[in-house]
Amino acid sequence: MANYKIIFTGPVGAGKTTAIASISDVPPVSTDATASDMTRKRKNATTVAMDYGVLKLDKGDALHLYGTPGQERFDFMWDILTEGGIGLVLLLDNSRNNPFQDLQFFLRTFEDFIGRTGVAIGVTQMDIKAQPTIRDYRQELMTNGLKPPVFAVDARTHNDVSLLVQALLFSMDPVLVD
Amino acid sequence: MPDKKEVALRVAAIGMDQRSLSTLQMFFKIPCRNSCQLAEEDAAEVAMLDMDAIDAGKLFEEHRERFPDRPVIVLSLSGQAIKGTINVRKPLSVALMLEAIAQARKQLATGGAGKQTPDPVPDSSTDSNVVPLKQQEKVQVSRVGSSAAAHKAALQLDEKEFRSLVGSAPDIDPGNADQRVGVCFNPDDYMFGYICKVFAEARKSGSVIRLEDSWSTLTVFPGQDRVATELKDPQLRTVYVMSNKPKDMRQSILGTGQAEREYQVMEEKQALQDMDAFLWKLALWTSRGRIPDGTSLSIPVFLRHWPNMTRLLLPPHALRITALWAHQPHSLIQTASALRIPQRFVFAFYSAALALDLVGPCRRSSDMLVEPSTAASENRSVLARILQRLKIA
């Protein structure tokens, strides 16, 4: 039995827990706790350890879906989580004050991992705040010399999250047969 | 909501075929809660006519002559008022139909159409397309969010579904000039070409532009990246793809106040769409598996950016084509060959991506097929299995 994993990361409230739940085969294990301090401004509960979901593959294999904790003070876990991962899904909350700052922070933090694997970016809450647009994100990413998939995403929608993960997989290997 | 004690109004649907009658019967029975029912022409209290049907004018005159006092509900795409009738603009909605029925009852109570000129049903109240019941339920569900229509998730079409849009044209031999001509189209021969220019003009000037003809109205809001139309996709496809720019199409610029009011009204009606998503599907419909005139089949295509795929109508293999071009430029023919897919899918995707300026011809001479990295090859079976699993779920 082989195990694989994809990492979901992003700031507090970006929808990591929800996104994992929307494609997981089992009810996701979430370690949300009542938020305090700055985090409470974004959501009432935040993930303090990690989220976990799983997609069962054939032959008893499994794809594990790990969500990083949103709070930066838990970033010591990020290296551990990415170990052996096959790709990164970065979710950004468009309604935050400076989503580009978040984008750059996570790209820097996961730079090595992204370099070894790949990244797909989902922008959530675009119905709450339309700016910056997906075009703006593309331009921002060009400054990093990156051209990854960037989609508007509703983390509650299976199709959106599934498409984002599919794009991640294809971007790592375009000749994959679907 | 109709009064449950009220007796169903007997409606004669004049000149409609059996399919339309069946649809109307279901429409009257369920969404309209039996506020009216179909009846023979002689037994009816009210007549209903589709003015977009052939001979509708003649049928209307004949009916008027036989039953001069009978209220007549007139359905039309343009919503153009006909004196002495109750006008309902298509697409038909429950709200509009109930309002029309109420007006018809009022006319009957006061002695019929001949005795009173009815108030026309306001066009602006046109709501959602309700003809197929299942679709109506979906529309209602989608109204949870105010911008649900604008952010409708991508519809991923499989090859069978897509074939109904693009046909099943065989692959061509790129060396055969006649075959090459057969897969090309001139965007200016279609509304698509005109709409592209209007969108570009709106974006450049920042002006809200309205296009109107006797069939449809389209308003472009470049500031909000939205386009407003009350037509649903099947009607849009008919009106915009089958013809060139209509001769009676009028283009006007809306003032700030008018534009703001119009935007608000259209937002309430869930009639706003993303400009890119609109142009993308128009390009797909128009292309039907072809490419714009002048497109090279041999020059590699490079991808500027990934399309925002969660908000677009996706032809089969769209993700694979995008990923391939993001990885390394390939010509259209090479792309079909490398991915082992029919050329028409590549052509359709290219046409749509070109409309959004997401792709372009590559001036570099690289035309090698992509050589997957060792890491990718090692992971390939795993990635393919995950992919398969995601698509099944």
Side-chain angles (χ1 to χ4, degrees):
Chain A
M1 190 177 91
N3 293 289
Y4 311 96
K5 65 178 170 183
I6 288 180
I7 316 301
F8 286 69
T9 195
V12 172
K16 301 181 291 292
T17 307
T18 311
I20 289 174
S22 72
I23 58 168
S24 175
D25 285 337
V26 297
V29 178
S30 183
T31 51
D32 277 4
T34 306
S36 59
D37 313 330
M38 293 294 285
T39 308
R40 193 192 288 276
K41 291 179 184 169
R42 307 299 310 176
K43 54 188 277 200
N44 289 330
T46 191
T47 306
V48 291
M50 61 183 181
D51 287 311
Y52 170 74
V54 66
L55 208 60
K56 292 173 187 164
L57 306 177
D58 55 3
K59 300 175 193 165
D61 293 354
L63 173 68
H64 303 277
L65 311 166
Y66 288 101
T68 63
Q71 293 165 297
E72 289 174 27
R73 65 174 180 264
F74 293 98
D75 61 1
F76 67 90
M77 287 189 62
W78 296 356
D79 280 346
I80 301 170
L81 277 178
T82 54
E83 186 64 38
I86 57 174
L88 183 74
V89 172
L90 170 55
L91 295 176
L92 296 167
D93 176 354
N94 214 41
S95 68
R96 280 169 63 95
N97 283 342
N98 193 343
F100 285 173
Q101 193 174 303
D102 295 334
L103 172 70
Q104 294 299 346
F105 171 79
F106 285 97
L107 289 180
R108 263 198 318 274
T109 304
F110 290 94
E111 189 176 4
D112 289 345
F113 182 61
I114 292 170
R116 289 197 309 274
T117 59
V119 63
I121 298 171
V123 184
T124 62
Q125 312 283 12
M126 293 201 79
D127 52 339
I128 309 274
K129 187 163 163 270
Q131 305 287 338
T133 64
I134 294 296
R135 274 199 208 103
D136 298 328
Y137 279 97
R138 290 172 186 152
Q139 292 307 318
E140 178 70 13
L141 282 158
M142 290 300 279
T143 65
N144 297 71
L146 293 173
K147 209 163 56 177
V150 189
F151 302 163
V153 162
D154 180 341
R156 297 164 299 182
T157 307
H158 171 87
N159 191 55
D160 282 12
V161 181
S162 172
L163 265 177
L164 192 62
V165 176
Q166 289 180 52
L168 170 68
L169 301 177
F170 278 123
S171 67
M172 291 190 289
D173 188 356
V175 200
L176 271 178
V177 177
D178 64 347
Chain B
M1 187 71 64
D3 185 347
K4 284 179 183 173
K5 291 174 187 169
E6 219 163 36
V7 177
L9 196 67
R10 296 187 304 277
V11 179
I14 312 296
M16 293 194 193
D17 60 19
Q18 192 53 48
R19 191 175 173 193
S20 304
L21 290 173
S22 302
T23 308
L24 262 184
Q25 195 168 24
M26 191 174 73
F27 181 61
F28 287 165
K29 189 175 177 184
I30 303 172
C32 295
R33 311 266 176 107
N34 285 318
S35 60
C36 46
Q37 64 182 36
L38 286 177
E40 294 297 326
E41 195 170 351
D42 288 337
E45 298 163 281
V46 175
M48 180 182 287
L49 264 132
D50 182 350
M51 287 310 283
D52 300 318
I54 299 169
D55 291 339
K58 189 178 160 200
L59 288 170
F60 175 74
E61 292 304 329
E62 285 173 2
H63 188 82
R64 244 299 131 83
E65 200 172 314
R66 288 184 63 200
F67 305 98
D69 292 333
R70 180 178 285 179
V72 180
I73 297 172
V74 167
L75 315 176
S76 71
L77 266 176
S78 67
Q80 201 173 3
I82 296 175
K83 198 179 173 189
T85 65
I86 302 165
N87 299 287
V88 178
R89 186 173 191 166
K90 292 192 285 187
L92 205 53
S93 76
V94 176
L96 278 181
M97 180 52 68
L98 293 178
E99 198 173 335
I101 294 294
Q103 282 195 43
R105 285 187 192 281
K106 199 170 152 191
Q107 281 187 26
L108 287 168
T110 56
K115 304 288 187 292
Q116 185 189 356
T117 303
D119 300 324
V121 178
D123 290 345
S124 59
S125 60
T126 301
D127 206 335
S128 58
N129 184 4
V130 293
V131 176
L133 187 59
K134 283 183 180 174
Q135 277 181 18
Q136 187 222 354
E137 288 164 358
K138 281 183 190 169
V139 168
Q140 288 173 345
V141 168
S142 75
R143 288 182 180 190
V144 176
S146 62
S147 56
H151 294 290
K152 196 165 76 176
L155 175 62
Q156 283 179 278
L157 301 172
D158 64 24
E159 291 194 19
K160 191 177 167 191
E161 289 168 321
F162 196 65
R163 194 174 297 132
S164 67
L165 287 179
V166 302
S168 52
D171 285 357
I172 61 157
D173 169 6
N176 183 319
D178 289 341
Q179 290 184 11
R180 275 208 314 271
V181 169
V183 294
C184 292
F185 72 100
N186 180 357
D188 290 335
D189 287 344
Y190 299 88
M191 272 294 283
F192 168 61
Y194 177 60
I195 295 289
C196 282
K197 286 173 188 155
V198 170
F199 275 27
E201 185 185 331
R203 280 191 164 127
K204 191 177 174 188
S205 66
S207 304
V208 174
I209 297 178
R210 173 183 281 171
L211 305 177
E212 273 177 292
D213 66 12
S214 50
W215 295 94
S216 63
T217 302
L218 188 85
T219 314
V220 187
F221 298 93
Q224 289 82 8
D225 246 344
R226 294 283 184 270
V227 57
T229 173
E230 295 184 45
L231 297 185
K232 303 299 171 193
D233 276 3
Q235 297 159 320
L236 262 178
R237 194 171 161 222
T238 304
V239 173
Y240 278 63
V241 175
M242 301 307 283
S243 61
N244 197 341
K245 177 190 165 191
K247 289 191 174 73
D248 63 342
M249 179 154 276
R250 300 175 300 280
Q251 180 176 332
S252 56
I253 292 177
L254 301 192
T256 310
Q258 192 186 1
E260 283 172 3
R261 283 193 300 278
E262 175 86 0
Y263 188 85
Q264 202 174 354
V265 167
M266 298 311 257
E267 190 171 35
E268 282 166 11
K269 289 183 181 177
Q270 297 274 310
L272 295 170
Q273 302 183 32
D274 182 271
M275 280 174 73
D276 279 354
F278 182 87
L279 201 57
W280 174 278
K281 71 183 169 193
L282 198 54
L284 277 180
W285 292 339
T286 308
S287 151
R288 283 176 287 139
R290 298 172 298 165
I291 43 177
D293 281 347
T295 303
S296 167
L297 293 170
S298 57
I299 293 177
V301 172
F302 82 98
L303 182 85
R304 289 191 179 89
H305 303 287
W306 278 72
N308 183 13
M309 291 179 151
T310 51
R311 300 295 176 261
L312 300 173
L313 181 72
L314 293 184
H317 312 292
L319 282 159
R320 301 176 68 203
I321 298 168
T322 310
L324 186 66
W325 291 348
H327 192 68
Q328 188 176 344
H330 282 66
S331 75
L332 298 179
I333 298 295
Q334 282 175 338
T335 302
S337 167
L339 299 179
R340 295 177 187 166
I341 58 178
Q343 291 168 355
R344 62 181 181 278
F345 294 145
V346 180
F347 295 166
F349 178 80
Y350 176 80
S351 297
L354 187 68
L356 301 194
D357 198 27
L358 295 171
V359 293
C362 182
R363 299 300 167 199
R364 287 180 289 177
S365 59
S366 168
D367 57 356
M368 296 285 289
L369 292 184
V370 65
E371 291 295 340
S373 66
T374 310
S377 299
E378 285 169 1
N379 280 334
R380 180 161 298 154
S381 71
V382 177
L383 300 185
R385 285 162 63 207
I386 297 170
L387 202 63
Q388 191 61 31
R389 190 62 194 72
L390 281 167
K391 290 175 89 73
I392 291 168

